[in-house]
Amino acid sequence: MVRIFLILLLALSSAHAAENIADAYPQAKSFFPEADRFGELEGTPRAAPAYLGSTLLGWVFLTNDVLRIPAYSGKPINSLVGFDLSGKIRGIAIVAHEEPILAVGISEERLKAFADQYRGKNVFDRIAIGAERPGHVAIDTISGATMTVMVENATVMRAARKVAESRGLKGGANGSGTAADEPLWVAAWQQAKFRTAVLIAGLVVLTLILVLQDWLARYPAFLGALRRAFLLYTILFIGWYGLAQLSVIHVLTFVHAAMRDFRWENFLIDPMLFILWGFVAVTLLLWGRGVYCGWLCPFGAMQELAQQAAQRLKIPQLEFPDVVHERLWGVKYVILIILFGMSLQSMGQAVRYAEIEPFKTAVTLHFGREWPFVLYAAGLLAVSLVNRKFFCKYLCPLGAALTIPGRFRVFDWWLRRRKECGHPCQTCANECEVRAIRPTGEINANECHYCLDCQVTYYSDRKCAPLIERRLKREKRAQKLAAHPLIHVKSPRRPEA
């Protein structure tokens, strides 16, 4: 009886599988509109044949049944792919994924437009994303999602070749060859040579600024111009051109990968992000979170330049009382904890709620989104005109995440302080852009954005109270000498000849 039940169960499962590919994924019918039926998913690797009567037209398969390449979310992108007996691709459709940029930010129309580019290509073609490469067929990328698209391309084409070869199809003039099996990150780094070179040059400049900060702080006009230029570099190159805005989603993805199946190649597929995260990791241990938040975050740079413009226009500033300000600091840590908890259950859900970061709207997608997202990002920039870096201080979960490893920083003496700081001098505390200096004079390194304003004050005898006192004493002595010059100065006796 049990055996009969198992046989019936298997038969029902097979019947369900036979109708599942077309019923569960209607796109299969659009790939082969002339087909009147689809077979069951079978073979190694699994694929469902498409028929017109008794004539085989081609095959349809799911990439997760053939090949799984983890993307940024740590999960593969599952796509439905169909190709005919000549190896010509009839269509592809993404049916499941947890990619941050695809989940929220890329419309279905843009995804379909990208997928439609594969129609008519051969499964043995070597396809390059975005840029022409010898021996490759180029297709356009999705702006803001290039690396995710590269993972999708590699998954679709490699899986399609495996299915085609298992069904007896052979490659043509543009056959795959051995180069088609090169690691995905290798191609990504080859295409990003210019961008990585410019990024590394910028990071070298920033390192020199940090190392030479004591000398630069003595020249406030030059340091101010240098800082503004670097913030523009951060917005225009790192952000809008390189699309290397870091996000709390990257942190959550890394944590999940470390807990499960960590592989470096998953993070090497975006050279800009990989280099930037490497630099941030080092600076976290040396200086804390402030280097990234104050110099390398594109959205933070937008807020800072907006605030500088507000100062020039003499726009009144609105600040919270100290007791409210210090409690609002904790909001971003609460947001981080909530997002981490969500990610344990569903990374896709965490991605949606991580839209509290306006980074995707303002940086990755260049404000090219639906109006609620644009209004939110623009609103935060508007608030920064009257409250310096409001989002960074109170809401940013990425800043909260960077604070955790930043607690293990090696140096605390890079930012100079005097015994008079806070006792009684409050100049630096009043001028601090994020109010990270306590009334008692200590710098809260967990909240400091390393703007170096306090270091300019530290070396200025026009702003630093102890130096002002010394300067006034020198000037007073000079005035006395000028008012009462010495009448006679004895010359030293010459030795007798």
Side-chain angles (χ1 to χ4, degrees):
M1 188 70 180
V2 174
R3 179 178 295 179
I4 295 173
F5 174 77
L6 290 174
I7 292 173
L8 289 173
L9 183 62
L10 289 172
L12 288 172
S13 298
S14 298
H16 177 72
E19 62 180 9
N20 183 60
I21 194 68
D23 291 344
Y25 305 104
Q27 301 95 325
K29 297 177 181 178
S30 68
F31 297 167
F32 293 95
E34 70 274 31
D36 55 16
R37 66 186 179 92
F38 290 84
E40 62 182 87
L41 288 166
E42 60 184 3
T44 305
R46 297 205 314 163
Y51 292 100
L52 174 59
S54 60
T55 303
L56 176 64
L57 301 175
W59 294 269
V60 180
F61 69 92
L62 292 165
T63 55
N64 270 7
D65 288 340
V66 183
L67 177 68
R68 300 187 177 205
I69 301 178
Y72 273 136
S73 63
K75 304 290 182 62
I77 301 172
N78 192 19
S79 298
L80 186 74
V81 183
F83 62 90
D84 61 23
L85 299 182
S86 67
K88 184 170 69 175
I89 296 175
R90 289 293 195 96
I92 71 169
I94 297 174
V95 296
H97 69 85
E98 293 189 16
E99 287 302 278
I101 190 64
L102 300 184
V104 182
I106 303 297
S107 66
E108 291 297 325
E109 291 76 16
R110 292 176 68 188
L111 280 177
K112 184 177 183 302
F114 168 76
D116 285 346
Q117 295 180 90
Y118 285 85
R119 287 184 178 271
K121 306 292 191 298
N122 194 282
V123 295
F124 294 103
D125 285 341
R126 297 163 62 185
I127 293 180
I129 299 294
E132 296 283 350
R133 292 180 63 189
H136 290 68
V137 178
I139 64 173
D140 295 332
T141 185
I142 298 177
S143 178
T146 300
M147 295 304 138
T148 297
V149 166
M150 290 182 69
V151 173
E152 167 68 353
N153 177 65
T155 301
V156 167
M157 297 309 296
R158 294 179 189 180
R161 289 188 196 103
K162 286 188 175 184
V163 174
E165 290 170 349
S166 70
R167 268 63 179 179
L169 275 64
K170 303 296 182 182
N174 292 328
S176 59
T178 57
D181 296 323
E182 67 182 5
L184 180 59
W185 65 268
V186 173
W189 283 74
Q190 288 176 346
Q191 294 182 22
K193 289 179 181 178
F194 170 76
R195 287 180 294 145
T196 55
V198 176
L199 176 61
I200 291 171
L203 297 180
V204 169
V205 170
L206 179 55
T207 302
L208 291 174
I209 292 173
L210 298 173
V211 172
L212 300 175
Q213 65 183 47
D214 289 332
W215 177 79
L216 290 170
R218 292 177 168 86
Y219 303 91
F222 175 70
L223 178 58
L226 181 61
R227 177 163 166 75
R228 285 190 294 273
F230 199 93
L231 292 177
L232 284 172
Y233 160 84
T234 295
I235 296 171
L236 299 176
F237 177 76
I238 294 180
W240 288 342
Y241 180 78
L243 305 178
Q245 168 74 65
L246 303 189
S247 166
V248 70
I249 293 300
H250 298 138
V251 177
L252 297 178
T253 299
F254 184 86
V255 171
H256 280 272
M259 293 190 301
R260 296 171 184 170
D261 182 23
F262 183 86
R263 291 188 295 178
W264 279 114
E265 54 266 31
N266 294 349
F267 300 94
L268 283 166
I269 59 174
D270 192 324
M272 291 279 287
L273 285 178
F274 185 84
I275 293 172
L276 193 56
W277 269 116
F279 183 83
V280 170
V282 173
T283 56
L284 280 173
L285 296 178
L286 294 179
W287 293 285
R289 66 170 276 209
V291 174
Y292 176 76
C293 295
W295 294 84
L296 292 170
C297 176
F299 191 74
M302 291 181 194
Q303 294 178 87
E304 176 60 19
L305 291 180
Q307 169 62 206
Q308 292 184 18
Q311 289 179 353
R312 289 179 180 271
L313 296 173
K314 301 187 184 304
I315 296 177
Q317 298 297 294
L318 303 176
E319 292 289 352
F320 298 107
D322 288 341
V323 65
V324 177
H325 164 71
E326 293 197 357
R327 282 159 177 75
L328 286 176
W329 266 345
V331 174
K332 59 181 175 287
Y333 298 97
V334 174
I335 294 172
L336 173 64
I337 292 170
I338 292 173
L339 290 176
F340 177 71
M342 288 181 175
S343 73
L344 294 177
Q345 180 173 352
S346 169
M347 181 62 77
Q349 185 182 33
V351 165
R352 287 175 173 81
Y353 283 95
E355 285 290 325
I356 194 168
E357 295 178 330
F359 306 156
K360 190 182 298 180
T361 299
V363 181
T364 308
L365 298 176
H366 305 139
F367 290 97
R369 296 190 73 182
E370 297 84 355
W371 70 264
F373 295 101
V374 175
L375 184 63
Y376 173 65
L380 289 174
L381 290 175
V383 171
S384 70
L385 292 172
V386 296
N387 188 289
R388 198 166 191 173
K389 302 187 82 169
F390 174 87
F391 174 79
C392 301
K393 287 187 293 189
Y394 305 130
L395 300 178
C396 182
L398 175 61
L402 295 180
T403 297
I404 298 171
R407 292 179 179 273
F408 300 99
R409 62 190 175 277
V410 176
F411 303 117
D412 281 324
W413 46 263
W414 282 88
L415 296 179
R416 311 283 188 182
R417 308 300 289 151
R418 301 184 189 278
K419 66 180 187 299
E420 295 88 352
C421 293
H423 309 282
C425 183
Q426 296 293 320
T427 301
C428 293
N430 292 332
E431 292 183 346
C432 178
E433 69 172 37
V434 290
R435 297 173 67 183
I437 301 179
R438 296 189 175 94
T440 52
E442 300 90 353
I443 296 176
N444 184 350
N446 294 327
E447 302 298 331
C448 173
H449 286 199
Y450 226 88
C451 66
L452 299 179
D453 285 354
C454 63
Q455 300 307 286
V456 170
T457 299
Y458 179 90
Y459 288 107
S460 172
D461 63 3
R462 301 288 172 178
K463 299 174 71 175
C464 179
L467 295 187
I468 291 173
E469 184 179 358
R470 295 175 198 173
R471 176 178 58 81
L472 292 176
K473 288 180 179 179
R474 289 196 306 271
E475 291 176 352
K476 189 174 182 179
R477 285 196 300 268
Q479 290 173 358
K480 286 182 179 180
L481 289 175
H484 304 285
L486 293 177
I487 298 175
H488 178 69
V489 179
K490 285 185 82 173
S491 302
R493 294 182 62 183
R494 293 183 180 180
E496 296 182 0

